[in-house]
Amino acid sequence: MLKKTDARLGEFQAFMSKNGVEAYVVSSPADQYFLTGFRMDDWTLLVTPKHARGFMPEMFVGQFRDIAPFCDAEKAVYPHKAVVAAIKAAKITRAAFDGGNETFVSGMFWRKNGLHDLPGAVAHLRRRKDAFEAGLIAKSCKIAVKAYKTLLPEIKPGMTENQVRARLEYLMDMMGAKEPSFSIIIGSGPNAALPHHITSDRKLRKNETLLLDFGCRYNGYCSDITRTIFLGRPTEEFRKIYAIVDKSQEAGVKAVRAGVMTGDVDKICRGIISDAGYGDKFTHGTGHGLGLDIHEPPRLNNNPALNVSLETGMAVTVEPGIYLPGKFGVRIEDTVLVTKTGCDVLTR
Amino acid sequence: MLKKTDARLGEFQAFMSKNGVEAYVVSSPADQYFLTGFRMDDWTLLVTPKHARGFMPEMFVGQFRDIAPFCDAEKAVYPHKAVVAAIKAAKITRAAFDGGNETFVSGMFWRKNGLHDLPGAVAHLRRRKDAFEAGLIAKSCKIAVKAYKTLLPEIKPGMTENQVRARLEYLMDMMGAKEPSFSIIIGSGPNAALPHHITSDRKLRKNETLLLDFGCRYNGYCSDITRTIFLGRPTEEFRKIYAIVDKSQEAGVKAVRAGVMTGDVDKICRGIISDAGYGDKFTHGTGHGLGLDIHEPPRLNNNPALNVSLETGMAVTVEPGIYLPGKFGVRIEDTVLVTKTGCDVLTR
């Protein structure tokens, strides 16, 4: 269960007041969890300057009250209609919704009822993790690393990618995780050359690459880590590519610090790979933020529109890679927490 | 990997032409998978009368071409912008998007660029499952049942709810499932009285109820099943409540048939529970459709606005329950496939 959410709610209410908003509709399950500690589909949270009220099916009410006693709970067959009625009853005129987290159909409903679009208001507060959240991310990373280390000696040629995945998920779960933080990628041999390979029933073979991109959720918070190994004695080519990616990733991690631009971290990682002659084989961004969602702002890539300054408390990944289609690929990824003077690597 | 998708695409193109749409933007991962066999976040599918084109990050292109050779693939840093450019280049004026599956922000972008909202066009085709899809759902159900039967003798007081969940997921995975079809509910003792209990670290005890609501995904297709057991010798009260729910569920399953209204199935299940004096303890709907998503239309409940006729090929759940707060709850759920003369129960 999430703690300290009532303090967070106060912080969000202050943000609302600063932005001249008297009521805000929160629909994203991650945002709702962030503010109340309650994560469930199909309910709506309405935050006003002094209250927060959940509108939900009857069957959720008791659970919500237990988890978020600092909020009001209201049974509603149609949460959206009930929210609009509550806004009207309170004579609120400046109400807003999150256009980035509502469907177009829902957004049009809110707009028709006088609400305006203020995207990402809660996401904004979620960018920088406080010590409590950072602790949960660190624990999530610790579980992923421990499960990986337990799994390693079990990996044998003949197992399928899906069996490796299932075993890793089971180990993480038994160590306290709730679920994988995303659809785990186990890429063997040529499949390791696909950055977003869909884990398959291919059998692992001797003398080939194995790429594992995994993570779990602990109390809602994600970890993300990639390791690339070789089943047998690494070939010359594998060792060469691995060394380049390793150097790139190490330099990226060293570059992370509050105040550094995300685009500059990408430039450093990409530069090392380009200098080695593999620039066109690094076909994705260098990293991304994570927290209650596996992908959160900021992005660490070469898109100038997304180039922002790193801030203390941001949790981000650093994950350069080189992919040789039809042959193999290498990616190395760690989750790090941005500090004033650098970063804490949470996945080693 | 999904098969027969090229035929499906043709069916969708016929639907578009009937609705006077020259181009349709498909953004929902389940809809994209249904039409192409490719399931991934962050890409956009554009269907025109004779073509289908995926706009995606460079790193997906090769995989997409392998899985959907009947579609075109285009590398795009901003898939949305590329889609609009393609629509303009083809001089198409009647283009549409799915307002139920786009965020408000994206929907406004499409609208600004001349597209109109046509919600649920692909979802409409997905309601009735063809024999191929029904086979995948049946297999998904079979795995869930087999894993449950393997798990049963392992369940012992002292295990936590989360350990039971982890073990069940692992068994399903090792039997060929890809992931659970939703966040599995393991409710022990008083937790069984919460229809949407969040599986916790509570330890199972002797002489109490255990409710297991679970399912998996097999080639994308979901199963959904609930069983309620008693750890030890069932109490009089448990047996009484169980018998009522069992009778209700059995009657519901018997009532399912093409042409029957969803509301009538709910009425039958609810009637039996109400007649027994527990109407106010059955706090949710009787069932829901499922397929590539765990919750799809139709809904089997008492909301007159959602009362529709069952059709052959629909896969739905029948899952009445009685919940005694603070004490225990009983829910029994099967996934069934609607036929002309009744239904096939897939989870027994």
Side-chain angles (χ1 to χ4, degrees), chain A residues 108-284:
Chain A
M108 292 305 277
F109 173 83
W110 297 128
R111 228 166 67 146
K112 204 185 72 188
N113 284 285
L115 285 76
H116 71 272
D117 180 22
L118 180 66
V122 183
H124 181 78
L125 286 190
R126 283 171 48 197
R127 288 174 314 126
R128 295 173 64 177
K129 278 72 187 173
D130 63 24
F132 179 72
E133 293 180 284
L136 295 176
I137 295 173
K139 173 77 179 173
S140 178
C141 291
K142 214 167 175 172
I143 290 171
V145 169
K146 196 176 162 195
Y148 172 70
K149 285 185 178 160
T150 308
L151 172 74
L152 261 186
E154 296 182 14
I155 295 176
K156 300 271 182 302
M159 288 174 84
T160 68
E161 292 174 356
N162 266 320
Q163 285 168 348
V164 173
R165 175 189 60 74
R167 187 73 195 147
L168 182 52
E169 288 184 14
Y170 180 64
L171 289 168
M172 292 193 295
D173 275 0
M174 295 308 274
M175 291 170 183
K178 178 82 190 188
E179 58 189 350
S181 49
F182 58 95
S183 194
I184 288 178
I185 299 169
I186 307 292
S188 61
N191 290 344
L194 303 169
H196 271 226
H197 170 58
I198 298 162
T199 304
S200 77
D201 291 324
R202 183 182 185 278
K203 280 185 181 163
L204 276 49
R205 296 182 202 159
K206 230 190 135 173
N207 296 319
E208 67 175 17
T209 302
L210 185 68
L211 185 151
L212 307 96
D213 188 351
F214 58 99
C216 63
R217 269 174 206 274
Y218 179 75
N219 276 13
Y221 283 85
C222 296
S223 46
D224 198 354
I225 168 170
T226 305
R227 294 292 178 256
T228 309
I229 60 175
F230 197 90
L231 302 177
R233 200 184 143 81
T235 61
E236 190 85 6
E237 194 180 22
F238 178 86
R239 275 190 282 179
K240 182 186 156 193
I241 299 294
Y242 190 93
I244 299 165
V245 175
D246 195 34
K247 192 179 158 194
S248 165
Q249 203 261 351
E250 201 52 50
V253 168
K254 276 215 181 89
V256 170
R257 196 181 63 240
V260 168
M261 299 301 285
T262 53
D264 288 342
V265 178
D266 181 83
K267 202 180 282 174
I268 286 165
C269 289
R270 203 166 296 279
I272 289 171
I273 289 174
S274 293
D275 288 350
Y278 293 93
D280 63 326
K281 306 292 183 226
F282 176 18
T283 48
H284 56 75

Side-chain angles (χ1 to χ4, degrees), chain B residues 54-70:
Chain B
F55 297 84
M56 57 191 66
E58 181 181 0
M59 64 170 162
F60 298 164
V61 170
Q63 271 164 290
F64 180 72
R65 284 198 178 124
D66 282 349
I67 291 174
F70 49 89

Side-chain angles (χ1 to χ4, degrees), chain A residues 78 102 104 178 196 199 303, chain B residues 78 102 104 178 199 303:
Chain A
Y78 296 107
E102 294 281 354
F104 179 75
K178 178 82 190 188
H196 271 226
T199 304
N303 183 339
Chain B
Y78 297 107
E102 294 282 354
F104 178 75
K178 178 82 189 188
T199 304
N303 184 337

